[in-house]
Amino acid sequence: MKNTAHLIKIPLALLVISGIFPAGCSLAPSPEKIKVPGARSTTFQGDKSKKKFIGTTWWREFHDKNLNRQVEDVLKNAPDAHAVLARLAAFREQAKIAGAPLLPTVSIDANGTRSKTNLGTFLPQGGSFTNSSFGLQLSASYELDVWGKLRNSEKAARVSLLEAEENRDVVFQTLEANTVDLYAQLSEARREISLRKEAVDAAKSLEKSVRAAYLAGTISSELFLNARQQLAAQKQALSLTRTRATALEMSLNALAGREIHTPIVTTAFEHFPSRLAPVPAGLPAELLNRRPDVRSAGLKVQAALLQVGIARAALLPSISLTAQKGYKSNDLSNLVDSGSSVWTLTGGIVQPLFNRGAKRAAVRQAHRNVEAAIADYKKTALNAFKEVETALSSFADTGERLELETETLNSEKIKEAQAKAAYLSGTVGIQPFITAHIAYLNRLIVRNQLALSMIQNRVRLATALGDGLYSTQKNPGESK
């Protein structure tokens, strides 16, 4: 045991050296704060609340248990979710790989050789002899990170890992938004189907009444043809709505990774809130720190700066050390004796001399990549501001249109009630009442479509504000 302890002395010394000199200077430029127009503003123009932004699981404000279950199922089982989590796990392993060169590579080699040599070709009397050789050797190699190349490579891998985490949040945000959007559309489409069925039945009654009057010669053929055309239009609208509902259900199932014809339970559309409260947008500067796509763009700038340092370091000499300690003997029983001890310590330095300017071109390329990354960051940040302002404006405008449409719907309801009263009193026939009823149903469909637009604007606003992110910090299905 005492002799074998000598086996690790020189490689252990190399480990000590790597600990004393873990990294040299870094040649990567220091990151600077990127100025984005509008980032210093105190509020968004379309934000009427002027309150601080508070992150929530925003879809729960609809108070729909079926919707909540759909979102949870999609976040847990969606193929996109599994794919982004697998890529994130791969980046974690890549970060470990990138950090490996910061410590010496240590290996052990054990070998044995036995050979026989025939002496007949050398001596007249012939004969032979047998030779044995055994070896046990521990080796360690290490590159001194004088210029910070290895350390910057490891940092770049960790920045890529952080970027992958931001991309995960982008994917989960998108899944949340798409789920709520598809679910709301499906719920509205199913409500529209029931209303259009009622409109078709009413149109059939109108067509039947007008046909009888036409055959009796009390009305013109033009009125009869108009009634038939109205019935055909209502049937066509019903067919298109059914097709749309089927497509929406299949899309939501595909998003969740389910069989596309799996039945989906939706809450009746009329139970959705008819008016949604304004959403505080907070400060523009906070938005840049909150949105994962903007943070991802910022990490790309950091990664580009580190690549500059790596490219610069490639112009300078690289210094490496190799240490070997072991034993060699012709007799296995004497292998670890002190007399069989051997060791080697090697140092090397490599300086690039001629590569047709490739390494200097790599430095210039890295600087250009930094410029491009900064430009992309500004573009992403400005696009975030634009999306918030657009969503706030659209949210407010749709709310006003919904209020006006609700007033119009109430007027149609009154007209229908008046026509019904007149019909029941016998002052008019059934045709004016059926016509008023169909007009009310069509107006109710329009009002529901505006309510759906209101919900969809709320979805876009949540995405634009980076809302719902805290729910993705521990994503369902993510391995620890």
Side-chain angles (χ1 to χ4, degrees), residues 19 21 64 85 105 119 161 184 204 252 304 306 335 375 381 398 409 469:
F21 303 102
D64 187 337
L85 293 178
T105 300
L119 301 178
L161 172 59
K204 286 180 179 179
L252 186 50
L306 291 170
L335 179 61
T398 305
L409 178 64
L469 278 182

Coordinates of all heavy atoms in Angstrom, one line a residue, residues 19 21 64 85 105 119 161 184 204 252 304 306 335 375 381 398 409 469:
G19 N -5.8 23.8 -9.1 CA -6.6 24.5 -8.0 C -6.0 25.9 -7.7 O -6.7 26.8 -7.4
F21 N -4.2 27.7 -9.9 CA -4.4 28.6 -11.1 C -5.7 28.1 -11.8 O -5.6 27.6 -12.9 CB -3.2 28.5 -12.0 CG -1.9 28.8 -11.4 CD1 -1.0 27.8 -11.0 CD2 -1.5 30.1 -11.1 CE1 0.2 28.1 -10.4 CE2 -0.3 30.4 -10.5 CZ 0.5 29.4 -10.1
D64 N -63.4 29.1 -14.5 CA -63.8 28.0 -15.2 C -63.0 26.8 -14.9 O -61.8 26.7 -15.3 CB -63.8 28.3 -16.7 CG -64.4 27.2 -17.6 OD1 -64.6 26.1 -17.2 OD2 -64.8 27.6 -18.8
L85 N -38.5 20.6 -22.5 CA -37.9 20.2 -21.3 C -36.7 19.2 -21.6 O -35.7 19.2 -20.8 CB -38.9 19.5 -20.4 CG -40.0 20.4 -19.8 CD1 -41.0 19.6 -19.0 CD2 -39.4 21.5 -19.0
T105 N -7.6 16.1 -16.7 CA -8.1 14.8 -17.1 C -7.2 13.7 -16.5 O -6.0 13.7 -16.7 CB -8.1 14.7 -18.7 OG1 -8.9 15.7 -19.2 CG2 -8.6 13.3 -19.1
L119 N 15.1 -18.0 -31.7 CA 16.5 -17.6 -32.0 C 17.1 -18.4 -33.2 O 18.3 -18.2 -33.5 CB 17.3 -17.8 -30.8 CG 16.9 -17.1 -29.5 CD1 17.8 -17.4 -28.3 CD2 16.9 -15.6 -29.8
L161 N -27.5 27.6 -21.2 CA -28.5 26.9 -20.3 C -29.5 27.9 -19.8 O -30.7 27.6 -19.8 CB -27.7 26.3 -19.1 CG -28.6 25.7 -18.0 CD1 -29.5 24.6 -18.6 CD2 -27.8 25.2 -16.9
A184 N -61.8 28.9 -25.5 CA -62.8 29.9 -25.6 C -63.5 29.9 -27.0 O -64.7 30.0 -27.1 CB -62.2 31.3 -25.4
K204 N -87.2 27.9 -41.1 CA -88.1 26.9 -41.7 C -89.5 27.3 -41.5 O -90.4 27.2 -42.4 CB -87.8 25.6 -41.1 CG -86.5 24.9 -41.5 CD -86.3 23.5 -40.8 CE -85.1 22.8 -41.3 NZ -84.9 21.5 -40.6
L252 N -57.2 21.5 -30.2 CA -56.9 21.5 -28.7 C -56.4 20.1 -28.3 O -55.5 20.0 -27.4 CB -58.2 21.9 -27.9 CG -58.0 22.1 -26.4 CD1 -56.9 23.0 -26.1 CD2 -59.3 22.7 -25.8
A304 N -22.5 36.2 -26.9 CA -21.6 36.8 -28.0 C -20.4 37.5 -27.5 O -19.3 37.4 -28.0 CB -22.4 37.8 -28.8
L306 N -18.8 36.6 -24.7 CA -17.9 35.6 -24.3 C -17.2 34.9 -25.5 O -16.0 34.5 -25.4 CB -18.7 34.5 -23.5 CG -19.2 34.9 -22.2 CD1 -20.2 33.9 -21.6 CD2 -18.0 35.1 -21.2
L335 N 5.7 -5.8 -9.5 CA 5.3 -4.6 -10.3 C 5.3 -3.3 -9.5 O 5.7 -2.3 -9.9 CB 3.9 -4.9 -10.9 CG 3.3 -3.7 -11.7 CD1 4.1 -3.4 -12.9 CD2 1.9 -4.1 -12.1
A375 N -28.4 44.6 -31.6 CA -29.5 45.0 -32.5 C -30.7 44.2 -32.3 O -31.9 44.7 -32.2 CB -29.0 45.0 -33.9
A381 N -37.0 44.1 -27.6 CA -37.5 45.0 -26.6 C -38.6 45.9 -27.1 O -39.6 46.1 -26.6 CB -36.4 45.8 -25.9
T398 N -62.1 46.9 -27.8 CA -63.1 45.8 -27.9 C -64.1 45.9 -26.8 O -65.3 45.6 -27.0 CB -62.3 44.5 -27.8 OG1 -61.4 44.4 -28.9 CG2 -63.3 43.3 -28.0
L409 N -78.1 44.7 -29.0 CA -78.8 43.4 -28.7 C -80.0 43.6 -27.8 O -81.1 43.0 -28.1 CB -77.8 42.5 -28.0 CG -78.4 41.1 -27.6 CD1 -78.7 40.3 -28.8 CD2 -77.3 40.3 -26.7
L469 N -46.0 33.7 -15.8 CA -44.6 33.0 -15.8 C -44.4 32.2 -14.5 O -43.7 31.2 -14.6 CB -43.6 34.1 -16.0 CG -43.3 34.5 -17.4 CD1 -42.2 35.6 -17.4 CD2 -43.0 33.4 -18.3

